[in-house]
Amino acid sequence: MIVDSAPAFDVREYLRKEMMPHFLCPGCGHGIALRALLWALHELKVDKDKLAVVSGIGCAGRLSAYIDASTFHVTHGRPLAYATGLALARPDLRVVVISGDGDCLAIGGNHLIHACRRNLKITCLMLNNEVYGMTGGQVSPTTSEMRVTTTTPLGNSEPHFDACALAAAAGAGFVGREGTRHVPKLAELMLAGLEHPGFSFIEVLSDCTEIFGRKNEMGSSSEMILRQKSELRPEAYRDTVDTPFRANELPTGVLAKNARPEYGAAYRKAAAAIKAAAAKKGRK
Amino acid sequence: MNAADSPLAARPAVQLVSGNHACALGAVAAGCRFFAGYPITPSSEIAERLSRALPEVDGVFVQMEDELASMAAVIGASMGGVKAMTATSGPGFSLKQENLGYAAGAEIPCVIVNVMRGGPSTGMPTRPSQADIMQSRWGSHGDYPIIVLTPASVREIYTETIRAFALAEKFRTPVILLYDQAIAQLTETVQLGDGMPCAERLWASGAREAYRPYAAAPGAVPAMARPGDGYRSHTTGLNHAEDGFPTQHPETVERNLGRLLTKLDSHLEEIASWECIDCEDADVLIVAIGISARASRRALEQCRSRGLRVGLFRPLTLWPFPENALQAAAAHARSVLVPELNTGQLRLEVERLLGRDRVAGLHRIDGEPIAPEQIAARAESLAKGTP
Ligand code: SF4
């Protein structure tokens, strides 16, 4: 259990001190998500030298720079595609992707569904704060209906994306969701995702306090966390689409799991067979 | 890898292959061990060949979900320390520009093959073109350095693919191999084993505390950290300082971007490559690349047999353009003729270097190569002073 070892975990061991203070707004949920990730990595005793973190563009994308590992802050929406090359070329590394809802579902949506389908060992965290925070608060594919953003002044009338349903339908080996309201639970979910042998997708419900919260009069960051505790965004899941993950209450925890073969291992196995056949042919 | 394990070992040293096949052979010979691509005519044969050849040498082939992803995956593999390549054609090359700019800015070695076909947009997928000359130089946003090589024969595709990897690794830059559909699908002989040995990237060594990912003298190439080697460095597409982290500090940006932008110019002698045929006494100098250079070569022979003093200057390194070499070759020429399969992209660069007065173009955009006779006729009228 992750909670038991809490005292042994010192987040500073995994952070780049030279990058402090960080650039996140006070109360931003992304810092909580980062702490949960580092905690899970600590529990797994991951060697920092063998850890590669790839992130996209946006507030979530900036998190990689704070982690004391080999870190790659790449182009908008493409971290999964970069990570695919890295993980295939270097199966000895542990590859973690940090993305946001715009990065992962809008501009990078195609890469997400194919990463789920391919099932290469990558742990993908999608930090969902319902908004494009870094660019000033525009509507995103996960903005709840009727929420106000800088590009939906009348309230958002597009239905939001259920990222977990999408990932599961596309074949991701591990799919889970948790909010920043519960750090040990979140860290535990991340730990389970990191331990999964194939592709794992974890949606983290995070709060953009300064932009989204302010615009929608959701109160202080602690009020936003309390709101998570009491209702966990029910307004986001009130529509009528009938999918497994859209009941009245937003489900959290592990939502889907399968044991499909991990792509990299399957590829190397097939390659070894080709080489063996070629060697046999050469001997004749 | 043991030489006897090589897929090349069992094969004859001279092979009759297509241009795209030669590219795949050159890549494996250069040590390329990762290819990510997306199907597109007329470059798909490169991907097909490598999907078979790479697993035989413990490499990886992956067909990605789109052109953007294949460029991104190639950079990801190269960040992991593996020599990596992708191949495409015009429409895909447009899509690759986003991540190509990242590779240029973050200084990640990689090789991109662009088999040119007609345009704009979908153009003529099975027809030759040379209309990506400027896109290969300026296709991504911002100022950045890039190397572009333009082979004109199957054998040269093989040797230039190897050179592309050598330059990419040495100078930590994307290198584009730019050739047209006609040469891609032409069949000629290749001498396996030709070409320069492929240099290894300069890897970080020494104490982690002392390592600064982008620290290098003006115009120099910094050592790269391989993930897993204990350096735990940061790479970003944001403007960065010597420590690899983002910065907006004007002097730091100026210094680091300045080094990046002069990196190739300060090694021009090593990067530039060209061929001069009968330039010394030429009244009319033809400047051409790829299939147009082949036709020009024939035109040159036709003109010389008629007693006309015609020469040919053929850049093999297209960007950075071999400026001094062209200026020297054209020193005595009264006229300069630039035949190309576009409406004057190479001519623009030649005019920039030699002035507009003595430069004439010969352009074809209908999907057919320019015939030697067309070039010879134009060169003849220029030689006789009747344009
Ligand atoms: S803009 Fe929003 S998401 Fe970005 S750092 Fe501030 S609070 Fe966090």
Side-chain angles (χ1 to χ4, degrees):
Chain A
M1 271 297 285
I2 200 153
V3 192
D4 296 339
S5 64
F9 169 57
D10 181 355
V11 72
R12 286 169 298 190
E13 260 181 57
Y14 301 88
L15 290 173
R16 286 177 171 140
K17 287 165 206 74
E18 66 272 29
M19 290 300 286
M20 296 298 146
H22 59 74
F23 93 122
L24 297 171
C25 304
C28 176
H30 287 4
I32 305 174
L34 176 61
R35 183 189 170 83
L37 170 66
L38 300 178
W39 191 359
L41 291 166
H42 169 80
E43 285 301 313
L44 264 180
K45 300 191 174 59
V46 169
D47 177 359
K48 291 192 287 186
D49 286 344
K50 297 281 180 201
L51 173 65
V53 182
V54 186
S55 64
I57 298 292
C59 296
R62 294 297 283 265
L63 295 185
S64 63
Y66 302 119
I67 304 175
D68 187 15
S70 295
T71 53
F72 304 95
H73 176 230
V74 300
T75 49
H76 194 19
R78 323 285 172 226
L80 279 170
Y82 278 79
T84 298
L86 182 59
L88 276 170
R90 292 290 304 276
D92 58 314
L93 299 175
R94 175 178 289 280
V95 181
V96 174
V97 164
I98 304 178
S99 186
D101 40 289
D103 198 61
C104 199
L105 292 175
I107 192 166
N110 198 31
H111 311 308
L112 173 65
I113 56 177
H114 289 277
C116 293
R117 176 181 67 88
R118 199 173 283 120
N119 204 34
L120 186 62
K121 179 154 177 59
I122 294 170
T123 309
C124 175
L125 310 183
M126 187 191 88
L127 275 46
N128 176 3
N129 59 10
E130 300 189 56
V131 80
Y132 286 83
M134 185 163 280
T135 45
Q138 296 79 16
V139 70
S140 98
T142 57
T143 307
S144 302
E145 280 166 68
M146 295 324 291
R147 283 295 182 196
V148 177
T149 71
T150 57
T151 48
T152 52
L154 310 177
N156 176 32
S157 48
E158 279 187 27
H160 77 284
F161 232 129
D162 183 336
C164 289
L166 176 77
F174 180 102
V175 179
R177 174 192 289 132
E178 190 51 77
T180 50
R181 61 179 180 163
H182 201 321
V183 180
K185 257 186 158 174
L186 181 59
E188 226 166 285
L189 181 69
M190 289 179 181
L191 179 64
L194 286 161
E195 280 183 316
H196 181 77
F199 183 77
S200 59
F201 177 81
I202 294 165
E203 177 182 7
V204 182
L205 301 171
S206 178
D207 287 324
C208 170
T209 47
E210 274 307 297
I211 305 235
F212 191 73
R214 206 182 274 274
K215 193 99 181 164
N216 287 284
E217 297 175 347
M218 296 163 101
S220 66
S221 57
S222 45
E223 279 172 293
M224 286 185 82
I225 286 273
L226 286 171
R227 179 185 138 269
Q228 268 198 30
K229 279 195 196 279
S230 64
E231 52 180 4
L232 206 64
R233 292 186 197 170
E235 73 280 9
Y237 296 87
R238 210 180 281 139
D239 64 30
T240 54
V241 183
D242 184 22
T243 73
F245 310 131
R246 285 196 192 183
N248 284 333
E249 202 174 298
L250 181 61
T252 54
V254 181
L255 302 178
K257 223 174 156 174
N258 68 49
R260 288 197 301 129
E262 193 271 330
Y263 178 74
Y267 183 87
R268 289 187 292 276
K269 199 173 151 193
I274 288 177
K275 273 184 82 174
K280 207 171 153 194
K281 218 167 131 194
R283 272 202 303 275
K284 270 183 196 159
Chain B
M1 192 191 70
N2 174 325
D5 292 340
S6 162
L8 304 175
R11 295 175 189 162
V14 177
Q15 284 197 34
L16 187 64
V17 295
S18 74
N20 281 342
H21 189 173
C23 179
L25 290 170
V28 173
C32 172
R33 292 296 177 268
F34 185 91
F35 182 99
Y38 185 80
I40 186 165
T41 304
S43 83
S44 300
E45 298 87 356
I46 301 170
E48 288 169 347
R49 291 277 171 191
L50 288 173
S51 71
R52 185 66 208 220
L54 283 177
E56 287 183 24
V57 290
D58 298 327
V60 175
F61 169 91
V62 62
Q63 183 172 315
M64 295 296 287
E65 53 272 19
D66 57 34
E67 296 274 6
L68 299 157
S70 62
M71 188 68 224
V74 159
I75 300 169
S78 181
M79 294 191 307
V82 174
K83 292 194 185 100
M85 177 172 100
T86 184
T88 188
S89 182
F93 193 53
S94 297
L95 291 166
K96 289 198 167 11
Q97 297 298 334
E98 175 199 60
N99 292 310
L100 198 152
Y102 183 92
E107 303 183 62
I108 314 294
C110 53
V111 174
I112 302 102
V113 185
N114 175 14
V115 183
M116 287 182 285
R117 68 193 222 190
S121 191
T122 313
M124 286 186 281
T126 59
R127 292 285 172 182
S129 162
Q130 296 179 321
D132 296 345
I133 286 173
M134 284 301 171
Q135 195 198 7
S136 71
R137 176 62 194 89
W138 303 109
S140 198
H141 61 277
D143 269 343
Y144 60 94
I146 195 135
I147 298 176
V148 180
L149 310 180
T150 52
S153 69
V154 173
R155 185 175 190 154
E156 231 170 51
I157 289 176
Y158 178 79
T159 53
E160 289 295 284
T161 302
I162 296 173
R163 191 164 78 99
F165 277 97
L167 294 173
E169 294 294 318
K170 174 144 196 202
F171 296 109
R172 282 188 64 179
T173 179
V175 176
I176 293 163
L177 209 61
L178 190 71
Y179 54 87
D180 46 76
Q181 177 274 342
I183 296 169
Q185 287 165 348
L186 196 72
T187 301
E188 291 177 327
T189 53
V190 161
Q191 175 78 43
L192 297 181
D194 267 5
M196 65 200 291
C198 194
E200 282 301 313
R201 204 175 299 179
L202 180 62
W203 292 112
S205 57
R208 170 175 199 242
E209 293 66 37
Y211 175 63
R212 298 170 80 224
Y214 292 94
V221 183
M224 195 165 165
R226 195 182 349 230
D229 285 359
Y231 291 96
R232 303 196 301 274
S233 57
H234 186 62
T235 306
T236 177
L238 287 164
N239 280 57
H240 41 266
E242 283 84 352
D243 62 9
F245 293 107
T247 181
Q248 297 188 31
H249 181 254
E251 281 164 35
T252 311
V253 171
E254 167 97 37
R255 188 172 63 244
N256 281 278
L257 200 53
R259 179 192 57 74
L260 174 73
L261 295 174
T262 54
K263 181 173 72 169
L264 300 182
D265 293 338
S266 32
H267 297 91
L268 219 51
E269 268 182 38
E270 232 176 300
I271 297 166
S273 175
W274 66 90
E275 187 186 25
C276 261
I277 301 169
D278 296 343
C279 291
E280 300 74 23
D281 67 340
D283 291 330
V284 177
L285 182 71
I286 304 174
V287 182
I289 59 164
I291 190 72
S292 303
R294 292 172 73 113
S296 298
R297 178 84 201 255
R298 177 68 64 83
L300 182 153
E301 285 158 14
Q302 292 170 359
C303 288
R304 286 270 166 183
S305 70
R306 282 179 237 151
L308 301 166
R309 291 203 295 235
V310 172
L312 172 64
F313 180 85
R314 181 170 74 86
L316 252 152
T317 303
L318 180 62
W319 304 112
F321 197 86
E323 306 188 348
N324 297 340
L326 174 66
Q327 277 163 339
H332 307 296
R334 274 188 287 117
S335 307
V336 176
L337 176 63
V338 188
E340 54 186 324
L341 302 180
N342 61 58
T343 52
Q345 296 187 19
L346 182 57
R347 178 164 57 98
L348 267 179
E349 180 66 4
V350 174
E351 284 176 353
R352 184 181 74 81
L353 294 166
L354 304 179
R356 295 182 74 159
D357 298 348
R358 56 177 171 149
V359 178
L362 179 58
H363 310 299
R364 192 153 186 182
I365 53 164
D366 62 355
E368 294 292 333
I370 305 179
E373 292 69 29
Q374 268 181 293
I375 300 169
R378 195 66 208 283
E380 181 163 8
S381 59
L382 286 170
K384 291 177 175 162
T386 52

